[in-house]
Amino acid sequence: MLAEIITIGDEILIGQIIDTNSTFIAQELNKIGISVFQITSVQDDRTHILNAFADAAKRVDVVLVTGGLGPTKDDVTKHTFCEYFNDHLVEDPAVLAHVEELFAKYINSTPISDINRKQALVPSKAEVLHNDNGTAPGMWMNQNGVIFVSMPGVPFEMKHLMKERVIPKLSALYKRPYIIHRTITTYGLGESAIANRIEAWEDALPSHIKLAYLPNLGKVRLRISAKGPEYSPLMESVDAECEKLYPMIHDIMLGLEDDESLEELIARLLTKKGLTLSTAESFTGGKIASTLTSIPGASKYFKGSVVSYATETKVSVLSVPQELVDAHSVVSAQVAGAMAKGVRKLMKTDFAIATTGNAGPSKGDSDAEVGTVFIAIEGEKIQLVQEFKMGSNRERIVEKSVNKAFELLQKEILKM
């Protein structure tokens, strides 16, 4: 069974916002065995939308549309729906009552207007999908056996409608195949090297199981996908192939992505062992700390960070000896180690991570080439400092270094 996602809005096409809606919709559809055939973004333009609808109806069973449902003149989705389905707008009393209730309860500073009340206008042939979180309702329509679903573009409204209204209806309406994904995260080896290592295993995969390589800044994810009519045999075949694969990649395998990310694994390990962590970051600019503190409960193990971007901050706050900087430069193993030692002492933690490097575009306070980074892990019985060459792109240097820092820390925690 196939679906197409159509996002409507000039703001997507000019890069003003990122289309996260399509990602969420595709994930939810995949969970119930519906494959996304295509994702299309179109302007707030009647002709463009009509053409997209007609093209999608030729390809798929379900068309999911987001955006263009506001009350202002630039939102044309409802009117275009009417034209495509040869329909007209009518006022839905339940939607109108909901809109008026929302304004009375939550939007005290703005009185309701006739423009707001227009949100209650829906195509007469549409089944209205109640939107608990906003004024624009979802709409469900059927044209020659193809289901069209329209939802607001506001992400939290769309997500609620997908989970509470759309997915249950699709699940009840269609008999769907099972789709199983297992994504294995690896660190420390490139895509081509992994492919060479597991080539024989990959070539012998059954026809209903596919492998995809998903490389991303210091890590490679291996996604094993299978589709079939019966769940248990499908799961058994995936498990069997994974059991063959694991011994081939045991030294670079972090775990299953569906279980937890690397930073979540670190958080769990530190919490379980009652250990604490601090960071001293230079070129990573607090990215390690930000990633860790985005995980709920980080205060149990993460005590703080010093973003010592300038050399004088490394010296004055982290107590890195100036003579060490003078002798080895600010981008060096010696300075990275001193930064880790300094922040661990300052924060009184069991572990510390430190980063210093040259992310470019210029060399700054060091003669080190762009892409040269040093990552230090400091503990009571360990001081590990490693040098890496992370390329020449500034963003990639930072992201790869953050991933590598987590990889190094995880290995040290597991030794305890």
Side-chain angles (χ1 to χ4, degrees):
M1 183 177 178
L2 298 176
E4 182 160 334
I5 301 168
I6 299 176
T7 58
I8 299 174
D10 296 343
E11 63 274 16
I12 295 173
L13 296 173
I14 66 173
Q16 191 173 29
I17 66 168
I18 298 172
D19 174 25
T20 58
N21 284 349
S22 293
T23 301
F24 178 83
I25 293 170
Q27 290 171 341
E28 293 302 306
L29 292 175
N30 190 264
K31 291 176 184 177
I32 62 168
I34 298 178
S35 300
V36 175
F37 179 81
Q38 183 166 308
I39 297 174
T40 305
S41 293
V42 300
Q43 300 173 338
D44 288 299
D45 175 81
R46 166 189 159 276
T47 302
H48 200 176
I49 296 172
L50 288 172
N51 289 338
F53 285 178
D55 290 342
K58 299 172 186 176
R59 293 187 287 255
V60 299
D61 307 290
V62 181
V63 181
L64 296 111
V65 183
T66 67
L69 292 181
T72 54
K73 293 180 180 179
D74 62 324
D75 290 308
V76 298
T77 300
K78 284 195 290 190
H79 296 282
T80 309
F81 253 76
C82 285
E83 184 170 354
Y84 183 76
F85 287 98
N86 190 27
D87 200 359
H88 62 281
L89 294 174
V90 296
E91 185 175 272
D92 186 290
V95 176
L96 179 60
H98 176 63
V99 172
E100 291 177 338
E101 181 183 11
L102 286 179
F103 269 82
K105 279 187 175 180
Y106 306 115
I107 315 178
N108 299 323
S109 60
T110 304
I112 190 169
S113 68
D114 289 339
I115 292 178
N116 302 123
R117 292 187 177 93
K118 287 183 179 179
Q119 291 288 61
L121 295 176
V122 297
S124 68
K125 299 176 184 177
E127 178 182 348
V128 174
L129 305 177
H130 179 66
N131 178 6
D132 298 275
N133 296 330
T135 60
M139 299 178 294
W140 177 291
M141 302 185 77
N142 189 324
Q143 171 107 324
N144 299 323
V146 178
I147 299 298
F148 280 76
V149 180
S150 179
M151 295 174 287
V154 180
F156 82 95
E157 296 183 28
M158 177 279 300
K159 290 178 180 180
H160 180 79
L161 278 169
M162 274 295 295
K163 287 186 173 182
E164 300 300 323
R165 310 280 187 256
V166 179
I167 292 299
K169 285 180 66 65
L170 290 173
S171 299
L173 185 62
Y174 293 105
K175 180 175 176 60
R176 297 147 283 110
Y178 292 97
I179 300 175
I180 294 173
H181 297 293
R182 185 153 310 160
T183 303
I184 304 165
T185 303
T186 69
Y187 279 82
L189 205 61
E191 176 184 8
S192 59
I194 297 174
N196 286 335
R197 184 186 287 194
I198 66 173
E199 181 178 9
W201 171 84
E202 183 178 359
D203 289 343
L205 284 174
S207 59
H208 67 281
I209 297 181
K210 307 296 181 185
L211 174 68
Y213 295 85
L214 308 170
N216 180 29
L217 302 177
K219 62 183 178 181
V220 178
R221 294 175 295 162
L222 304 176
R223 188 187 67 224
I224 301 166
S225 302
K227 181 188 291 188
E230 297 182 46
Y231 180 80
S232 294
L234 199 64
M235 181 61 77
E236 289 173 4
S237 65
V238 170
D239 287 340
E241 293 303 324
C242 287
E243 289 303 316
K244 298 175 188 175
L245 174 63
Y246 292 154
M248 302 178 191
I249 58 172
H250 68 93
D251 57 323
I252 58 171
M253 178 177 163
L254 168 66
L256 298 178
E257 184 181 85
D258 294 339
D259 293 339
E260 56 190 353
S261 65
L262 179 54
E263 55 267 25
E264 289 171 335
L265 171 60
I266 288 171
R268 179 170 60 80
L269 289 173
L270 289 172
T271 302
K272 181 180 180 181
K273 294 174 180 287
L275 301 171
T276 55
L277 173 68
S278 57
T279 62
E281 301 186 57
S282 183
F283 72 97
T284 50
K287 189 69 179 289
I288 296 174
S290 174
T291 303
L292 291 170
T293 55
S294 68
I295 302 170
S299 61
K300 294 178 182 178
Y301 61 89
F302 186 69
K303 299 307 177 186
S305 177
V306 175
V307 181
S308 52
Y309 207 73
T311 301
E312 55 265 32
T313 306
K314 296 176 177 68
V315 174
S316 62
V317 178
L318 295 175
S319 301
V320 175
Q322 182 64 53
E323 55 268 27
L324 204 63
V325 176
D326 295 339
H328 302 284
S329 96
V330 72
V331 179
S332 63
Q334 292 80 2
V335 168
M339 289 170 61
K341 184 176 182 179
V343 78
R344 180 170 173 261
K345 182 179 180 181
L346 180 67
M347 302 286 181
K348 298 179 175 61
T349 56
D350 298 296
F351 279 105
I353 298 173
T355 62
T356 183
N358 187 351
S362 61
K363 291 186 177 181
D365 292 343
S366 171
D367 290 331
E369 293 297 325
V370 172
T372 302
V373 306
F374 291 88
I375 301 172
I377 306 295
E378 168 87 12
E380 183 179 356
K381 298 180 180 180
I382 178 71
Q383 187 181 68
L384 171 71
V385 184
Q386 290 192 13
E387 178 182 2
F388 301 94
K389 302 294 184 182
M390 296 297 192
S392 58
N393 180 277
R394 184 177 179 83
E395 291 183 1
R396 288 175 63 86
I397 291 168
V398 172
E399 289 293 337
K400 288 170 72 173
S401 298
V402 171
N403 288 337
K404 180 58 69 174
F406 287 143
E407 177 190 347
L408 296 176
L409 176 62
Q410 182 242 358
K411 290 178 179 178
E412 293 306 319
I413 296 172
L414 290 175
K415 292 177 182 178
M416 298 186 66

